[in-house]
Amino acid sequence: MRKEWWTSAVLVTASANKLNKAHVRYLEARLIAHAKTIGHTPLDNLTAPVLPILSEADIAKMEAFLENLLIVLPAVRVDMFIQRARSHRPTAPATLGRTTADPQITGAGGTRFVLESRKHGLRASAVLTDGEFVVEAGSMGRLEWTGLDHHTYASLYAELRRSGVLTEQGAHCVFTQDYAFRSPRAAAAVVNGRASNGQIDWRTAGGGLTYKDWEARQIAAPEGTA
């Protein structure tokens, strides 16, 4: 099967061909609805299928299948179903008013970092928690992407503008919600509007350590003292 708008395809199968047409329609409807809710990727196909009628037992099986599918897809670089936006934490706005002399370096569940650009009047805060680098709502970013158009993070910046995670506010953009990045480098690139060294640009809110130095200390510290 060929479609003009396809650039790649992922085939999903089940052992012993246990998926019938109704099962496939159910999974299709659930995946489309999930993708629209997340808003990670624009959908050219405007189809909004209705869930077919299945027995409770079949629905339970399909939901279990879907749960496993959403775990497997990121492993093959299909990340359109990953929810990276995070619910807003009440403490986020207050972090933007802190200075680098503030000893409070731990946020809600993790270590807090800040990125400042005096040249462009930017200040952003992030929390490293549960292995995610979460830039907090209220953080500032560049109004436009000024780096190379073909850079990996140029498309990420454009996606966040399109989805409303980054919205224009005066001479800069503002994060409207907490957003989990894959790395400090990706977060720094979006904030600065160009390729950036997140290992250096992000610093601890209290001690002013670069992320690189902070990470080295965590590795070198005896277990239980980091």
Side-chain angles (χ1 to χ4, degrees), residues 49-223:
V50 178
L51 287 172
I53 298 176
L54 297 177
S55 67
E56 290 187 9
D58 277 345
I59 290 176
K61 290 178 181 178
M62 289 304 97
E63 287 298 323
F65 187 93
L66 181 63
E67 183 177 351
N68 290 329
L69 184 60
L70 294 177
I71 293 174
V72 172
L73 286 176
V76 293
R77 298 186 178 182
V78 178
D79 59 0
M80 62 184 295
F81 301 107
I82 298 177
Q83 177 60 277
R84 297 196 177 278
R86 297 293 181 264
S87 58
H88 177 64
R89 291 190 296 271
T91 57
T95 66
L96 297 178
R98 294 183 178 138
T99 67
T100 54
D102 193 334
Q104 182 65 25
I105 64 171
T106 57
T111 302
R112 174 167 281 106
F113 296 86
V114 294
L115 187 159
E116 294 183 295
S117 172
R118 294 182 180 179
K119 178 180 179 181
H120 301 292
L122 301 177
R123 180 175 172 84
S125 64
V127 175
L128 181 64
T129 177
D130 296 329
E132 293 183 325
F133 199 82
V134 182
V135 174
E136 298 178 304
S139 295
M140 299 177 182
R142 291 288 297 276
L143 187 61
E144 297 178 347
W145 176 263
T146 60
L148 298 175
D149 291 339
H150 62 270
H151 193 277
T152 301
Y153 297 132
S155 58
L156 175 58
Y157 179 91
E159 174 192 313
L160 297 187
R161 287 297 306 270
R162 178 194 59 77
S163 64
V165 173
L166 270 178
T167 60
E168 182 176 342
Q169 188 176 99
H172 55 263
C173 286
V174 171
F175 281 77
T176 60
Q177 56 192 298
D178 294 355
Y179 189 85
F181 288 89
R182 293 179 177 176
S183 66
R185 184 181 298 272
V190 169
V191 171
N192 288 321
R194 56 173 173 75
S196 302
N197 187 346
Q199 297 277 326
I200 303 299
D201 289 350
W202 290 103
R203 295 176 177 270
T204 56
L209 287 175
T210 64
Y211 181 91
K212 180 179 180 179
D213 290 340
W214 173 86
E215 187 176 46
R217 287 195 179 188
Q218 305 309 300
I219 295 173
E223 186 175 354

